[in-house]
Each structure stands twice: as C-alpha cells, then as structure tokens.
Amino acid sequence: MVYEKVDMVNISERPREADDRAVPGFWAGDLIIGQGNKSQLATSVDRSARFVMLVRIPYDRNAERVAYLLAKKMETLPEFFRNSVTWDQGK
C-alpha cells in the first residue's frame, strides 16, 4: 500500500544547501526502536556539523507525538541551526 502523508515535502524538494552539506541547520532524522518494540528514540544529525541530538520518546510513538517532542528539542538550538529536518521513511 502506497500513501502520501499530508504536508509532507519530498526529499527532492529539499533546499540545495542541504544537499551539499555546506550550511549547518539541515537535519536528517530517524527513529530507533528498542527490543520488543518497548522503547523508542528519535535521532537527528546535522548534515554539515554532524552534531547529534537524541530525543527519548516515552510511551507511544505516533507521528504527532514524535514531531512534537522533536520540535521541542529543536527549540533549544539557535535559530540559524533550525532550517529543516529530512525524516528517514525506510524500515
């Protein structure tokens, strides 16, 4: 089954600065699932600086909750370091 998420931007539409990794503030995100699907951790890596942020996702891991917790963590960064997040869509 193929579906498109609402308001989702395709990776091909990512700004050029994110592709060449010359400018900080463009992030790659992924979700790590623990043993037995009992825990989860969101990871974000800045594509330029290679700075890593880890966000613990307690309880459920629905998209809204993960996005909210990741956004709260990103608010702790300086504004120039918050351009975009490209989320891994694979398994």
Side-chain angles (χ1 to χ4, degrees), residues 15-54:
R16 182 176 297 262
E17 295 89 0
D19 286 335
D20 67 12
R21 299 179 184 197
V23 178
F26 295 95
W27 297 80
D30 205 349
L31 190 66
I32 298 172
I33 308 299
Q35 186 175 7
N37 291 322
K38 293 183 180 178
S39 61
Q40 45 275 333
L41 184 70
T43 66
S44 294
V45 180
D46 178 78
R47 293 175 50 82
S48 175
R50 297 298 196 206
F51 181 77
V52 176
M53 288 194 313
L54 303 176

